Amino acid sequence: MDTTEKLTEIFKEFPGIGERQAKRFVYFLMSRNPDYAKTLSSLISELKKEVLQCKECFRFFIFNKEKSKICEICANPNVDSSTLMIVEKDFDLESVRKSKTYHGKYFILGGLVPVVEKNTHSKVRIKELLEKISAEGGSASGGKKDRLNEIILAFALSPQGNHTDFYLRNQIKDLCESLNIKISSLGRGLSTGTELEYSDNDTIKNALKNRQ
Ligand SMILES: [Zn+2]
């Protein structure tokens, strides 16, 4: 493989990018001056140096001076720790956060559960989620914080999103029942096939209000 082919393969791994678009990126880069490529590659390495994955919610964040292992949402004492919203990916969290209608905690599942899949546990963070529910829903969650009492499942209204909702409910049902934690799903304010990341603030607000 020559450099253009290698780069094309890399761009093809980007979300939503196919072969044709990947090639267009490569041609675009070829047409730019050398400084452009230099800036781009140094920004990419900088990004990796500055980013950490929060050990509480698993989102990526730019770490602060203290090199805290948890992100600013999880570290914020004003966040409502009685609700936990489970989303597919970082981008969904950002959309909900921007809508300013939800003030609880988040958990990033790391993907959706495919309808036909044998080894689900290796693809999404179910084990980590169960551990988090046990820790935050149990009596040992510390005196100051509100105990977790509601989990909101917030996945896309696609067949895969619905399957993930169904699958996850089954996985966490017994634990949530024993800890007296309610499980709800984002309301049907989102139209069919809608992805959270493309939803506007009002849609998210309605979906939250109509959760069931
Ligand atoms: Zn976090």
Side-chain angles (χ1 to χ4, degrees), residues 57-175:
C57 69
F58 294 96
R59 72 189 272 253
F60 292 102
F61 68 105
I62 306 284
F63 62 71
N64 50 26
K65 280 169 245 112
E66 298 100 51
K67 293 208 175 177
S68 164
K69 291 263 167 56
I70 59 172
C71 74
E72 75 278 11
I73 301 177
C74 295
N76 184 348
N78 298 320
V79 161
D80 172 14
S81 48
S82 69
T83 50
L84 181 68
M85 184 184 282
I86 323 287
V87 294
E88 177 199 342
K89 54 189 184 296
D90 286 65
F91 216 93
D92 295 338
L93 184 156
E94 290 307 326
S95 303
V96 176
R97 203 178 175 206
K98 260 201 322 228
S99 77
K100 293 196 164 73
T101 49
Y102 173 75
H103 308 285
K105 294 205 160 185
Y106 297 90
F107 182 89
I108 299 196
L109 194 62
L112 292 176
V113 178
V115 180
V116 186
E117 178 66 55
K118 291 203 179 77
N119 200 2
T120 301
H121 280 254
S122 65
K123 298 274 158 60
V124 296
R125 298 185 187 103
I126 291 176
K127 188 172 88 52
E128 291 85 345
L129 177 61
L130 290 168
E131 284 167 7
K132 189 168 179 70
I133 297 172
S134 302
E136 312 251 325
S139 50
S141 67
K144 278 178 282 171
K145 290 193 298 180
D146 286 327
R147 196 186 71 91
L148 176 64
N149 61 34
E150 182 180 4
I151 287 177
I152 304 171
L153 303 175
F155 303 116
L157 292 189
S158 60
Q160 222 190 331
N162 289 338
H163 178 69
T164 306
D165 188 289
F166 174 77
Y167 184 90
L168 222 57
R169 270 178 189 265
N170 264 318
Q171 295 286 318
I172 64 176
K173 194 177 60 193
D174 291 345
L175 178 61

Side-chain angles (χ1 to χ4, degrees), residues 27-42:
Y27 282 115
F28 171 76
L29 286 174
M30 282 191 228
S31 73
R32 309 302 288 196
N33 62 38
D35 280 349
Y36 187 88
K38 218 189 272 172
T39 310
L40 181 67
S41 55
S42 75

